[in-house]
Amino acid sequence: MENVTIKTTQSPAILKFEVKNLAVKGKGYEFRNIDEATSSPLARQLFYLPFVKTVYISQNFVAIERYNIVEWDDVQEAVAEQIDAFVAKGGTVIEEEEEVKPWEKKATTIYGETTPNPAVLKFVANSRLTGVACEFHNIDQAKASPLAQELFKIPSVKEVFIDENYVSVTKYEAYDWNDITVEIRSFIRDFIQNGGTVVDESLLAQSEKTQKQKIEHFDTLDTTSQQIVNILEEYVKPAVQADGGNILFDSYDPADKRVKVILQGACSGCPSSTFTLKSGIENMLKDMLKDEQIRVEALNA
């Protein structure tokens, strides 16, 4: 199944199926039974499986919570094949919905996913949180995010990264995820549920990192730099976002063929980030740009 990738989450009952070309935009969806799934033919089909308890659909993945009557090892391949076949034949994932009245809005749900970085946990919401990725290393940097400001008041929280429909939280080494996950997940859920502002994007507009990612800046780059940005956006960013992180293009020096990038979220400080840069991203750029002298360096690795 080339189009479906199976990934575990922190919850043993929830499995994530990443799907190429799922094309769900704007927000996430949660369906707790077949009656709630009137807007999603895919979710309705999945609920015919007797072990399916909850279906989450958001952007490029489908996450399923199972009842304890089965183990994922016994059924995950069959579920992946069913999702793959549905998408391959052009099935409608989400039908256009009528405007939802305020009193009809669905409850906010948050579930945790592990990342390649043991210090970082990714908390995924069933709604869109921001259109601009943002990273905060301390409470003073978090003026644009009331959610991040409040998270920094939790003693275990070291750093916060927010993108699309998830929040990646970096903990201090002294704490164990088993002791703090429920507290952080509940806090994020309640904050969003109560109408708190996750990110004020207008306050991010003037930051140097944000300016560098704008189309106007892209248009001023040389041809090779533009090619590098396009490769990172199309081939690298989706993969690192799935792991709770992000990668930003910083610069390209044609004299020594050095590409500088910024790693964010779970990618920042990750033990495997150096391997990913050298064996993954660097080799990809060498191959796609036909230049064996290309080197990749992370400014914050």
Side-chain angles (χ1 to χ4, degrees):
M1 293 171 295
E2 296 182 356
N3 294 319
V4 179
T5 303
I6 302 172
K7 290 198 172 183
T8 58
T9 71
Q10 192 188 19
S11 170
I14 298 175
L15 205 61
K16 180 178 176 183
F17 300 85
E18 293 183 354
V19 187
K20 292 181 181 177
N21 303 318
L22 191 62
V24 175
K25 297 180 179 180
K27 64 176 181 177
Y29 300 82
E30 178 193 9
F31 307 105
R32 289 169 290 185
N33 54 59
I34 196 169
D35 290 335
E36 289 188 358
T38 54
S39 65
S40 175
L42 173 57
R44 290 202 302 270
Q45 178 173 313
L46 291 170
F47 275 117
Y48 284 114
L49 300 172
F51 55 84
V52 172
K53 180 179 181 181
T54 310
V55 176
Y56 309 88
I57 300 177
S58 183
Q59 297 173 3
N60 69 330
F61 70 83
V62 178
I64 299 175
E65 181 181 11
R66 63 169 173 79
Y67 286 107
N68 292 329
I69 58 174
V70 298
E71 296 295 332
W72 275 123
D73 287 344
D74 299 326
V75 297
Q76 63 185 33
E77 293 296 333
V79 174
E81 289 175 3
Q82 187 171 134
I83 295 173
D84 187 40
F86 182 93
V87 174
K89 69 180 182 182
T92 301
V93 179
I94 299 291
E95 296 173 341
E96 190 172 340
E97 298 181 60
E98 296 181 1
E99 183 180 358
V100 179
K101 304 297 187 300
W103 57 86
E104 296 175 332
K105 288 183 179 180
K106 295 173 183 173
T108 298
T109 60
I110 302 289
Y111 71 89
E113 287 186 5
T114 55
T115 75
N117 188 339
V120 179
L121 205 61
K122 177 182 176 183
F123 295 90
V124 183
N126 65 330
S127 60
R128 187 172 179 81
L129 303 180
T130 179
V132 181
C134 47
E135 182 177 44
F136 310 105
H137 298 288
N138 55 61
I139 195 169
D140 291 335
Q141 294 180 357
K143 294 179 181 178
S145 174
L147 172 59
Q149 290 180 39
E150 294 303 315
L151 282 171
F152 277 118
K153 295 176 182 178
I154 299 175
S156 58
V157 174
K158 181 179 181 182
E159 296 176 5
V160 178
F161 174 72
I162 306 173
D163 192 11
E164 296 188 350
N165 68 323
Y166 66 88
V167 180
S168 289
V169 174
T170 304
K171 69 175 180 65
Y172 285 100
E173 289 185 9
Y175 294 86
D176 189 290
W177 281 121
N178 291 328
D179 300 327
I180 62 177
T181 297
V182 173
E183 176 190 7
I184 295 175
R185 183 174 62 216
S186 298
F187 179 84
I188 295 173
R189 180 198 63 209
D190 293 345
F191 184 93
I192 298 171
Q193 184 81 48
N194 292 329
T197 299
V198 177
V199 177
D200 184 344
E201 295 180 17
S202 66
L203 297 179
L204 295 172
Q206 300 305 314
S207 74
E208 183 179 352
K209 289 180 183 178
T210 302
Q211 290 295 325
K212 278 194 173 185
Q213 307 311 310
K214 287 187 175 181
I215 293 176
E216 304 93 281
H217 179 74
F218 177 84
D219 291 340
T220 67
L221 298 175
D222 61 89
T223 301
T224 302
S225 294
Q226 290 183 344
Q227 291 175 321
I228 292 169
V229 171
N230 287 335
I231 292 170
L232 294 177
E233 289 290 324
E234 183 173 356
Y235 297 99
V236 180
K237 185 167 287 189
V240 297
Q241 285 180 324
D243 286 334
N246 193 29
I247 185 168
L248 300 176
F249 172 80
D250 181 81
S251 61
Y252 168 67
D253 186 343
D256 63 2
K257 304 294 182 73
R258 190 172 302 278
V259 180
K260 293 183 179 181
V261 298
I262 298 170
L263 301 177
Q264 295 182 313
C267 299
S268 180
C270 178
S272 62
S273 62
T274 300
F275 177 81
T276 301
L277 284 171
K278 296 300 178 183
S279 299
I281 300 170
E282 188 173 285
N283 287 341
M284 179 184 294
L285 291 176
K286 287 179 179 179
D287 180 62
M288 299 186 77
L289 296 175
K290 309 299 181 186
D291 189 340
E292 287 298 318
Q293 295 183 348
I294 290 285
R295 297 291 180 268
V296 178
E297 172 187 317
L299 295 178
N300 56 337

